[in-house]
Amino acid sequence: MAKRTPLYDIHVKYGGQIVDFAGYELPVQYEGLGVLKEHTAVRTKAGLFDVSHMGEILVMGDDAETALNNLLTNDIRGMYDGQVRYSLLPNEKGGAVDDVLVYRISGKSYLIVVNASNADKDARWISARLPQNVTFANISDAVSQLALQGPMAETILRKLVSEDFIPKKYYSFTKNVVIDGMRCIISRTGYTGESGFEIYCGNIDACNMYETIMKAGKDDGLVPAGLGARDTLRLEAAMPLYGHELGEDIPVNEVGLGFGIKMNKENFVGKAALEAHEPEYERVGAKLIDRGIAREHCPVYLGNEQVGIVTSGTHAPTLGYPIAMLRIKKGLKEGLTVDVRGKRLRIEIIPLPFYKKA
Amino acid sequence: MSKILYAQTHEWAKIEGNVVTIGLSDHAQHELGDLVFINLPSVGDKIKAGEAFCDVESVKAVSDVMAPVSGKIIEVNEDLESAPESINSDPMGAWICKVEADDIPGDLMDEAAYEKFIK
């Protein structure tokens, strides 16, 4: 049976259309709004997402940094307390167990934020590979997460906490922040390509936190936003989604995430496999020349030869035309088509990200 | 005299003699969400009741539109190509095509029956 986040009743109250996603009952969109309006609100004003389905894992101890660093493609040494870093969690073959955010609470304490669909798998993977003197805790079921995203997000947050507690830099966070008596972490991160924050709090405070933020943003155009808009927003920003652009069998050096893979690090799980693997495919962006929308799994052709697949595709609400991310053989530019329900549509390779905030 | 009937697959059919105008019901547009693309049929196409003749895409997914009647398409609402969202804002006004019908199935529902069907 699908799980519910602590905010389930609030979604229903706001008219959320509930779907099953990664084992959770979550709103895909809200009555009277819908994907396009919610998407536009995040690009122009602000939207509030329930992302409590995401998993949270604590890793603590004197050797936490060294032990974790061995499990990640990125290098977490040299981070400051309150910094966030993106990394892949690689498998031995060089594929991805998951992609994660690493929060450095201190040099001996890290919070790892993982995808809901992988949370149990990640917990097993990580805990089995930590030495005994490193403490591991899967706190996913105790923590709720709200994403307040959009150009008005900071204005709204300033009504709730003093400026000192709002993280200044992208990919940094503040902890032990108190909003209306509720303790939380505020992180300047997101999955929309817009400025914004992710707020972590205990389940017991989730509903009050949600309503407090909604109330604070009511004159700033804040709307509830669902999974549909989350997907179109991240796709315009060309952010990868596990299960689409990333997977156990996709070498992480074929996904355009080189900034998060430090091959000069002494060692990490999967490093040898990646060193031995000359990338054959790459992740690229495309725009459709012919009318139609290419969805995930659609085959991509050069002439009659299949050269890859669409990993994500949608109509891009901000851009006003259909876009897709492809996994295709390296170096191909011209003359590509995509098979959409039996029809070959011409596509044009364009640079990623599709959308970048001004 | 014209009457509007509904198919179980959520299309409406406005019947005027043997000319039938086809569109998507309000319930259908609501379930589909924001429509961003329509793949229209062509004038002259033969359609068969119960079979797909057109597809629409919302931001999330593609859905077939089924023919509520059988016949030959005599007119297509080309305006929808650039404005598929008008199906969301005015589902009864945003017709998809007109058909010269040679068969109108007996199981189409009137409005009262359709309202009951979607409950």
Side-chain angles (χ1 to χ4, degrees), chain A residues 17 29 31 34-36 231-232 291-293 295 314-315 341 343, chain B residues 30 33-34 36-39 55 57-62 64 81:
Chain A
Q17 292 170 14
Q29 60 178 7
E31 198 69 42
V35 177
L36 294 180
D231 193 48
T232 52
R291 291 187 74 249
I293 299 175
R295 303 283 179 177
T314 192
H315 168 83
R341 312 214 303 158
K343 270 192 210 160
Chain B
H30 185 261
D34 295 320
V36 293
F37 180 76
I38 184 163
N39 197 8
D55 55 64
E57 299 208 27
S58 68
V59 183
K60 288 300 282 179
V62 56
D64 285 325
E81 196 154 284

Side-chain angles (χ1 to χ4, degrees), chain A residues 294-300 308-313 324-327 338:
Chain A
R295 303 283 179 177
E296 59 167 313
H297 307 312
C298 287
V300 179
I309 56 160
V310 173
T311 52
S312 297
M325 284 200 276
L326 319 176
R327 172 171 160 74
V338 55

Side-chain angles (χ1 to χ4, degrees), chain B residues 41 45 64 67 98 109:
Chain B
D45 284 359
D64 285 325
K98 293 185 182 179
M109 296 169 274

